[in-house]
Amino acid sequence: MKIKRLIKFLDQRRPYVKIPDFTVKGISCNSKDVLGGYVFVAIKGSAGDGNDYIAEAIKKGAKAVIFQSPGQCEASPKGDQVTRSPGKAVFIRVKDTRLALARLAAEFYGHPSNKVKVIGITGTNGKTTVSYLLEKILQQTGSSPAVIGTINYRFKNKITLAKNTTPGPLELQSLLARMLKAGVDYCAMEASS
């Protein structure tokens, strides 16, 4: 997917300028996972700050960096403008990097949540039980269901141990895209608070 298409719906502070329309190979908010042609989203969390890893992401091949506040990191430009360092990455400033990551993931994976019927299950107790019951009911009706939950993520005889009850936006969109490709039509998903 081309970068200009991928970032089209981001809440950029200024319209992007002079961005070479390169092919994006992937997206990551973890600099350790960045490969050549990736977009790196620098998210400031409670324990760490993605802005501290921008230089590492660029060194590993990130061609674009999505960041939120100028001055949070030494590598980011200080103004609102989208800039590009020669031979380095394009910097794109947005209002909210978490929202940007969710939008980028949905666009990159083709908006699979618009095609798979997702049933969200919330609450303090019973989410896993309800997801298993829904899975069995849907199977009995001839559907091809999947489950994303506390114990595992499963569909079409594929089981992956769950890292989190509710995966982050990149993992979730990737998982839903794989489910859709495998023929899943419903997904019962535990949603943690």
Side-chain angles (χ1 to χ4, degrees), residues 91-124:
F91 284 82
I92 303 166
R93 184 176 175 205
V94 297
K95 293 177 188 171
D96 183 339
T97 50
R98 290 185 186 281
L99 178 60
L101 180 63
R103 288 179 174 166
L104 289 168
E107 185 68 27
F108 187 77
Y109 288 105
H111 298 274
S113 60
N114 291 343
K115 300 166 187 134
V116 174
K117 295 170 195 78
V118 180
I119 303 165
I121 306 159
T122 64
T124 306

Side-chain angles (χ1 to χ4, degrees), residues 115-180:
K115 300 166 187 134
V116 174
K117 295 170 195 78
V118 180
I119 303 165
I121 306 159
T122 64
T124 306
N125 295 310
K127 293 186 297 292
T128 301
T129 300
V130 171
S131 70
Y132 279 66
L133 291 170
L134 277 171
E135 179 184 36
K136 292 300 178 194
I137 290 168
L138 290 166
Q139 285 171 342
Q140 293 299 314
T141 65
S143 292
S144 181
V147 172
I148 296 175
T150 304
I151 298 170
N152 57 36
Y153 312 146
R154 61 184 182 279
F155 63 98
K156 298 282 188 171
N157 298 320
K158 294 177 183 166
I159 300 173
T160 305
L161 291 178
K163 295 176 193 171
N164 298 304
T165 298
T166 307
L170 283 170
E171 186 180 12
L172 179 60
Q173 294 296 338
S174 171
L175 192 55
L176 288 171
R178 285 184 280 143
M179 290 174 176
L180 183 63

Side-chain angles (χ1 to χ4, degrees), residues 31-108:
S31 61
K32 291 176 180 30
D33 298 332
V34 171
L35 298 171
Y38 268 47
V39 171
F40 176 67
V41 183
I43 295 177
K44 185 171 183 173
S46 57
D49 188 345
N51 293 288
D52 295 338
Y53 300 95
I54 289 175
E56 179 184 347
I58 292 170
K59 190 180 284 187
K60 292 186 80 175
K63 291 185 87 173
V65 173
I66 309 294
F67 73 105
Q68 189 166 319
S69 296
Q72 278 186 326
C73 61
E74 291 180 24
S76 71
K78 303 300 179 202
D80 283 341
Q81 226 173 332
V82 172
T83 62
R84 180 176 173 83
S85 304
K88 303 284 182 177
V90 174
F91 284 82
I92 303 166
R93 184 176 175 205
V94 297
K95 293 177 188 171
D96 183 339
T97 50
R98 290 185 186 281
L99 178 60
L101 180 63
R103 288 179 174 166
L104 289 168
E107 185 68 27
F108 187 77

